[in-house]
């Protein structure tokens, strides 16, 4: 792993994430939902894998994260942890797994750690009630990553997937939430879809690291949805997204070549067939 000191099992620890911030070393985070991509991210030495509830759109075909269940998250986080046993993995707590009561949050986050082996959970929101929940989880020994700015589980309340923190009042709300999350005990927080100057100001004001997505270069780390960053989801082109590969095109060409060869009876050929006795 590029980031130096490791915890037991070789993975980065929450203490190490703090040190990385102090040293000005960016945290590299990416989502994964299955064993193959988790293995690939571990091989690429990313610092943190997020089993995001973006699972809902990216893998399960829903049009938001709202239908995703705790069982869905556990199923996929187990696969990710099997592929990346030596990487710090965060499980995204799905909609309504922590909002109704602190007891729900404790029971579900406890399940996440016990049944999947992930190192931490992530919760969306920075208002008082969420912060109380985060403190209860941290007191129970469960590391928590916060998530403010655009919080996709609240897409209907926010009126769509749009940049947050524009205008002084909304910027102030985000500043207050960031400080409250740190105070509540979050070891890090995602800043999603924020103006770059606001995200940078917030990152500088905190001791815990921020991990940005669509929040500019001033965050302490960056996270991207793997399928978007590798060009597996070609229709999705938000301004902040850079495609680091074009896997859709490569995969499509591969499948088309396979289909052509099967139809032409040129695959399987002798090289790919077994001889008799
Ligand atoms: O669900 C997810 O993938 C996320 C990232 C976009 C941060 O929450």
């Amino acid at each position: 792993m590029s980031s130096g000191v490791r915890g037991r099992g070789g993975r980065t620890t929450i203490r190490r994430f703090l040190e990385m911030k102090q040293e000005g070393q960016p945290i590299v985070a990416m989502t994964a939902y299955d064993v193959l991509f988790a293995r690939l991210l571990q091989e690429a030495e990313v610092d943190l894998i997020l089993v995001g509830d973006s699972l809902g759109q990216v893998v399960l075909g829903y049009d938001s994260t709202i239908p995703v269940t705790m069982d869905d998250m556990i199923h996929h986080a187990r696969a990710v942890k099997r592929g990346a046993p030596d990487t710090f993995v965060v499980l995204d707590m799905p909609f309504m797994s922590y909002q109704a009561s602190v007891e729900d949050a404790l029971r579900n986050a406890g399940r996440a750690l016990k049944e999947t082996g992930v190192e931490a959970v992530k919760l969306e929101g920075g208002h008082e009630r969420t912060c109380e929940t985060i403190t209860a989880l941290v007191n129970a020994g469960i590391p928590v990553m916060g998530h403010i700015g655009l919080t996709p589980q609240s897409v209907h309340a926010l009126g769509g997937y749009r940049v947050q923190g524009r205008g002084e009042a909304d910027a102030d709300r985000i500043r207050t939430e960031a400080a409250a999350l740190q105070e509540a005990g979050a070891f890090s927080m995602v800043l999603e879809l924020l103006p770059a100057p606001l995200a940078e100001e917030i990152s500088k004001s905190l001791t815990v690291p921020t991990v940005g997505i669509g929040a500019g270069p001033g965050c302490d780390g960056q996270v991207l949805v793997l399928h978007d960053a590798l060009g597996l989801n070609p229709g999705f082109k938000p301004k902040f997204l850079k495609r680091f590969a074009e896997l859709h095109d490569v995969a499509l060409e591969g499948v088309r070549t396979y289909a052509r060869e099967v139809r032409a009876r040129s695959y399987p050929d002798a090289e790919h067939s077994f001889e008799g006795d």
Side-chain angles (χ1 to χ4, degrees):
M1 200 168 281
S2 58
S3 41
V5 180
R6 300 177 183 193
R8 215 154 55 117
R11 68 193 74 89
T12 307
T13 60
I14 59 170
R15 200 156 56 85
R16 180 64 196 143
F17 289 128
L18 280 173
E19 288 170 5
M20 287 173 77
K21 174 166 177 129
Q22 287 156 8
E23 292 163 7
Q25 200 175 137
I27 295 168
V28 179
M30 214 171 206
T31 67
Y33 318 95
D34 63 34
V35 69
L36 275 184
F37 276 123
R39 211 173 272 154
L40 185 132
L41 292 189
Q42 179 160 293
E43 195 180 335
E45 302 189 341
V46 305
D47 301 305
L48 183 154
I49 296 177
L50 172 66
V51 188
D53 63 352
S54 49
L55 167 77
Q57 292 113 311
V58 175
V59 174
L60 301 179
Y62 298 132
D63 66 1
S64 77
T65 60
I66 291 172
V68 176
T69 66
M70 198 64 211
D71 287 342
D72 291 334
M73 294 306 302
I74 284 181
H75 182 69
H76 286 268
R78 275 185 179 148
V80 167
K81 208 56 221 183
R82 281 194 287 266
D86 296 333
T87 304
F88 191 98
V89 177
V90 178
L91 180 149
D92 214 0
M93 297 289 285
F95 185 56
M96 278 302 146
S97 67
Y98 59 93
Q99 286 93 339
S101 69
V102 172
E103 287 70 25
D104 272 4
L106 282 165
R107 196 173 314 109
N108 284 318
R111 272 192 75 193
L113 265 65
K114 283 169 83 83
E115 296 180 29
T116 73
V118 298
E119 281 71 28
V121 298
K122 175 166 85 58
L123 269 63
E124 291 185 9
H127 40 80
E128 215 180 311
R129 214 174 133 86
T130 311
C131 289
E132 282 167 19
T133 302
I134 289 174
T135 300
L137 294 176
V138 172
N139 287 342
I142 300 175
V144 179
M145 187 174 206
H147 182 158
I148 52 174
L150 188 274
T151 46
Q153 291 174 14
S154 312
V155 59
H156 301 311
L158 295 172
Y161 297 98
R162 57 176 67 188
V163 176
Q164 303 293 302
R166 283 203 163 128
E168 234 359 80
D170 206 41
D172 258 349
R173 172 180 68 84
I174 305 282
R175 286 185 190 101
T176 304
E177 289 182 350
L181 281 181
Q182 172 169 286
E183 183 64 29
F187 74 89
S188 172
M189 67 191 75
V190 169
L191 303 183
E192 181 165 357
L193 286 199
L194 290 180
L198 176 63
E200 181 171 0
E201 178 205 317
I202 289 172
S203 301
K204 285 186 174 150
S205 74
L206 299 174
T207 54
V208 300
T210 62
V211 178
I213 175 165
C219 298
D220 301 305
Q222 299 291 329
V223 61
L224 280 178
V225 169
L226 175 141
H227 292 59
D228 301 339
L230 298 187
L232 276 162
N233 189 10
F236 186 62
K237 293 179 188 160
K239 178 176 162 63
F240 69 83
L241 179 64
K242 177 173 173 181
R243 291 227 197 110
F244 293 86
E246 294 294 346
L247 294 194
H248 170 269
D249 298 353
V250 174
L252 186 62
E253 191 42 40
V255 175
R256 283 187 170 146
T257 304
Y258 163 69
R260 238 183 350 257
E261 292 191 11
V262 168
R263 288 182 184 125
R265 297 196 179 279
S266 60
Y267 176 84
D269 52 12
E271 188 192 340
H272 298 98
S273 301
F274 299 100
E275 308 250 326
D277 291 331

